[in-house]
Amino acid sequence: MFIVFFGHVYAQQAHKEIRYVARLKDSIAYKVWLPDNWNAQQKYPLMVMYNYGAANDQVLAATVNYYANHLQKIPNTIVVNIMVNMDQIGYNYETGALTEAGKNLVLGLREEIFPAIRKKYGASAYTSYIGQSYAASYANYLFLNDPTLFNAYILIAPEKIGEGQPGFEISEGNQRFYSKNKRIYYVASGEDDMARRIAYAEEIAQKAKRLDTISFKFKYRHFANADHNTLFAYALPNALEFLYKPYQEIWDGDDKLTVYQQLQQAEARLKNYYGISLEPAFKNYNGLLMAATQQKDTSSLLAVIKHFENERCKGIDYRNFGYMLNINGLAKLAYTYYQKALDKINSAEIHTKSGHQALVTCYRDMALNFNKDKPAQGWELLEKALKDPYIRDVSFKYDLGKFAVENNINVEQGLNYLLSFANDRRNMVDIINVPYRRINLLLAKAYAILKDKNKSIYYVQLVLKEEPKNTDALALLEKWLKD
């Protein structure tokens, strides 16, 4: 077993709020979707949408969660749906301008709503906008006239109602701003949408891509089989990957640096670009610990663990740190981290399945790695893992049988566990489980310890039938033949 990662169960919930906005002299409702593993000490990018058209905040939040926690391609992000209508948004197709109400909404977002969300939920200053149809065209007003409000834009099927309406002209001032400030702009159109909308997206692409520099990144994507409403679902994954491409590139740098120096460099880039830091999670520390191990860089290994260790660590995190310390020869320190894991699980996670998954993993590691001179304690830990009330893992029967044979302890009981596991093994996926030759070899050795020659030879022959040159089986057979 190597480092173990237990994913989070998708359990996002919207936090509905209503805030009186002085600029509007009215109240605005909005929904805040937090990452399912949100914590108050972490900073998160903010993604904003308006409650308009086919854009759906639940779909957006779920997709962001999937890309962050399962595919691990983007950082966890706070999603906010501002519950306003077209009159409140105030965008005018014909002029490409905002009404006074629309201008006040922008000011209300900047001065009141966004600061409140950042203070309460830990959103960073990095804020992106996603809109569909009318709400996408509206984004161009902000892009051209108020470029400091958002750091990135995702436009899904922007709407154009007539020739020249709305206009999209990039000024010299826009060119100067976007040449010096990091911004990302993504636009998508659908093959089955109206021709005027496709033409508008292509017009935007022709003009906006001229801004492409080291700072400004632009992408246009035309999706087959997508219409005006379904395009939101088609384009969203591609848009998120483009939006967070800088996040995926944080490790691009000087490979002559130590692993810990690379971590420091990545943290500096994240803070500079997104105003965030790496979360203390498996997806962030695993690669670093593996790299330090491969490079035999113990100093970096210890520094990386210290960097990510804090009160928000889960039991499985402490276990993972302990595991990596142990395989790097730091057994005494590793053992202290296994103890930390047990303490955290028993104090805070003992009533959860994920807590018990970590618990049985700790039991197994501690039995096999830290109790070689105390086989009775190792046996006890493995049995506790097998009998855990939350986790049913029959592979612990195999571990117990192997432990019994290798330590010559409770051999008859270990043999029974092996026979039971062999029976269970018939209904398990073959390619991912212990091969039969290893089970049969242990059975042969167990019967040999118990001096049952016939049964031992029987299982030796099963091993040799599957693997004729198995040296352990051949040696055991030779012993029996000499006897």
Side-chain angles (χ1 to χ4, degrees), residues 376-389:
Q377 292 183 18
W379 178 269
E380 181 182 356
L381 287 169
L382 288 174
E383 282 207 312
K384 286 172 72 174
L386 176 64
K387 296 174 182 178
D388 185 273

Side-chain angles (χ1 to χ4, degrees), residues 315-334:
I316 193 59
D317 296 316
Y318 288 120
R319 177 268 170 187
N320 290 342
F321 296 153
Y323 178 89
M324 294 303 296
L325 288 165
N326 188 56
I327 66 173
N328 279 275
L330 301 171
K332 187 174 181 180
L333 183 58

Side-chain angles (χ1 to χ4, degrees), residues 233-245:
Y234 273 91
L236 187 53
N238 186 252
L240 289 175
E241 289 197 42
F242 182 69
L243 178 68
Y244 285 115
K245 192 174 181 182

Side-chain angles (χ1 to χ4, degrees), residues 169-226:
E169 298 300 330
I170 297 172
S171 67
E172 290 185 8
N174 293 142
Q175 292 177 3
R176 287 193 297 272
F177 179 86
Y178 290 114
S179 67
K180 298 177 181 178
N181 295 276
K182 295 182 177 68
R183 293 295 187 272
I184 291 178
Y185 188 115
Y186 178 96
V187 62
S189 62
E191 180 182 47
D192 296 334
D193 205 347
M194 296 179 72
R196 69 168 190 257
R197 294 173 183 145
I198 298 172
Y200 185 36
E202 292 174 346
E203 177 190 346
I204 293 170
Q206 287 297 318
K207 294 177 179 178
K209 69 182 180 181
R210 299 172 194 165
L211 295 174
D212 235 347
T213 63
I214 294 175
S215 295
F216 184 83
K217 299 300 179 186
F218 175 82
K219 183 175 183 179
Y220 167 55
R221 179 75 185 272
H222 183 67
F223 287 85
N225 304 317

